[in-house]
Amino acid sequence: RALRMGNIETVLSSSISAVFFAAFVTSGTMWYGAAATPIELFGPTRYQWDSGYFQQEIERQVETSVSEGLSESQAWSRIP
């Protein structure tokens, strides 16, 4: 009795909620990244891009190169 099909509405509503839950988890993982998201493999997450993480790192590398005696254009050309 517990394993019978039931109403089609019940089946569809429970399956759509499972699909929405999976989509919510997937989109959250894609937006914020997992705990160990390899940037080289998947690229930056939207969260990392929007928070300016890469711009801060580039500016830090340029400042380090300038403090080592390079000109600003040489420092920018060293950025991969």
Side-chain angles (χ1 to χ4, degrees):
R1 181 175 180 157
L3 295 177
R4 67 188 183 95
M5 182 73 161
N7 292 356
I8 190 70
E9 293 88 0
T10 306
V11 173
L12 290 176
S13 66
S14 62
S15 62
I16 193 94
S17 63
V19 168
F20 279 139
F21 178 74
F24 176 75
V25 170
T26 304
S27 63
T29 303
M30 290 175 69
W31 185 272
Y32 291 105
T37 302
I39 292 176
E40 297 84 4
L41 184 60
F42 297 116
T45 63
R46 181 69 189 264
Y47 180 77
Q48 290 168 323
W49 191 262
D50 286 349
S51 66
Y53 170 77
F54 298 101
Q55 186 63 35
Q56 293 171 7
E57 179 61 23
I58 289 170
E59 289 172 359
R60 185 192 66 76
Q61 289 181 15
V62 169
E63 289 173 6
T64 302
S65 297
V66 168
S67 68
E68 291 173 354
L70 293 174
S71 71
E72 194 164 324
S73 63
Q74 290 172 328
W76 278 102
S77 67
R78 290 176 66 185
I79 301 296

